[in-house]
Amino acid sequence: MSVTIQGQKLIITIVKKDKAKKVVQASRNAGAQGGTTLLGEGIRLNEKMRILGIPAERERAVILTLVSDEIFDDVKHAIIDSVQLNKPRQGIGFVIDTKKIAGINHLLGWHGEEGDATDEEGVDIMKEDQDVLYDLIITIVNRGDSEKVVDATRKAGAEGGTILHGRGTGVHEKAKLFNIMIEPEKEVVLTLIDKNKTTEVLKTINEDAELKKPGKGIAFVLDVESTVGISRVMNEKIREEFKKKKKKEK
């Protein structure tokens, strides 16, 4: 019988490749049972360097850490402290509240103390009570098309993104070699965006990356519960814009 569990949060931490082990070890010390590390390239769109016309991308590690509500606060702060995410340009972290989880009924959590903090340089540290200001746009496209997605997000106002590599098995991609099915390589673009820009960014990705065509790719949006590594000033600005937008909608 399949067992599903609620009350789990997914912490996504994006840091330089050489800091991944620190994040994983810190989360384990705080009670997490492990995590998954993915490798990719990070691109800050307003600083995009090129060498002979080719984007100079920086290696990044994306660490997925699933924890129960009981130990979330402890793991969160352990990760922040391990790589100093509360300092500028050290990385970014955000939290997604999961609906149901299967395959982890053997995991046990322990209670930690609640608490929020803001460092002296003004960087928000994953406030539990902050407004939901951000969305995560996940775009999956064929290898080589991530550049179109990155350019589209920049044009629509995004600040940066992370590219991961994978393989696809879509129904429109049944290529064979010596009668053996070939799974085409894919690129996954993670774009953390403030909610005021989500619709425009998604629309631009859809048009510029030609996602309407079969087999070209897919994009979807997830709610982000909280963040770290983003300027407090930026968060306040976005919060005010979000409130103004809500008033206009009323």
Side-chain angles (χ1 to χ4, degrees):
M1 180 177 178
S2 177
V3 178
T4 59
I5 297 177
Q6 296 177 317
Q8 302 285 320
K9 294 185 187 295
L10 177 64
I11 303 175
I12 301 179
T13 312
I14 303 176
V15 293
K16 293 179 181 179
K17 182 180 176 181
D18 59 357
K19 293 187 176 182
K21 289 184 179 180
K22 290 184 178 181
V23 172
V24 173
Q25 188 60 53
S27 64
R28 285 178 177 170
N29 292 343
Q33 299 298 309
T36 300
T37 302
L38 307 173
L39 299 180
E41 298 101 30
I43 299 176
R44 187 168 177 80
L45 300 181
N46 59 2
E47 295 177 349
K48 195 172 181 184
M49 298 175 59
R50 290 176 179 265
I51 300 176
L52 299 179
I54 301 174
E57 297 160 342
R58 295 165 288 185
E59 286 188 309
R60 289 289 183 270
V62 180
I63 303 98
L64 310 180
T65 310
L66 190 66
V67 297
S68 64
D69 289 343
E70 287 82 359
I71 66 170
F72 166 68
D73 191 67
D74 295 276
V75 175
K76 172 188 71 177
H77 286 290
I79 290 174
I80 292 170
D81 292 341
S82 68
V83 289
Q84 296 186 310
L85 281 187
N86 55 332
K87 303 296 183 182
R89 300 185 182 279
Q90 296 304 306
I92 188 172
F94 47 95
V95 180
I96 295 176
D97 191 16
T98 63
K99 299 299 182 183
K100 292 183 178 180
I101 301 295
I104 60 168
N105 50 302
H106 60 289
L107 301 183
L108 298 176
W110 48 277
H111 291 275
E113 298 179 358
E114 296 182 356
D116 296 318
T118 302
D119 84 310
E120 65 275 9
E121 295 188 38
V123 178
D124 281 357
I125 304 181
M126 291 187 185
K127 286 188 174 181
E128 298 286 352
D129 59 347
Q130 75 176 25
D131 298 327
V132 181
L133 304 175
Y134 298 90
D135 285 324
L136 176 65
I137 301 178
I138 301 179
T139 309
I140 305 173
V141 293
N142 296 322
R143 182 180 181 182
D145 285 348
S146 62
E147 181 75 5
K148 295 179 182 178
V149 177
V150 170
D151 288 342
T153 58
R154 176 178 54 196
K155 184 167 69 175
E159 296 293 330
T162 301
I163 301 173
L164 306 175
H165 302 281
R167 303 177 75 184
T169 55
V171 295
H172 296 289
E173 300 146 351
K174 295 181 179 178
K176 288 188 176 182
L177 179 63
F178 298 117
N179 208 34
I180 300 173
M181 189 70 71
I182 300 172
E183 297 179 354
E185 294 186 1
K186 297 292 184 182
E187 291 175 329
V188 182
V189 184
L190 307 181
T191 309
L192 189 66
I193 189 75
D194 75 74
K195 284 185 175 291
N196 299 305
K197 299 177 181 178
T198 300
T199 301
E200 183 62 28
V201 172
L202 193 62
K203 178 182 177 182
T204 306
I205 291 173
N206 190 38
E207 293 175 353
D208 291 11
E210 301 178 309
L211 298 188
K212 295 179 181 179
K213 296 181 179 180
K216 293 296 289 185
I218 187 174
F220 53 94
V221 181
L222 297 177
D223 284 327
V224 173
E225 184 176 288
S226 53
T227 62
V228 63
I230 298 177
S231 163
R232 183 182 181 187
V233 175
M234 178 64 73
N235 276 339
E236 290 297 333
K237 180 181 178 181
I238 293 172
R239 188 175 287 111
E240 289 302 317
E241 291 177 354
F242 188 67
K243 289 179 180 178
K244 289 179 182 178
K245 183 178 180 180
K246 285 295 184 181
K247 287 182 179 179
K248 288 182 179 180
E249 291 176 352
K250 292 180 180 179

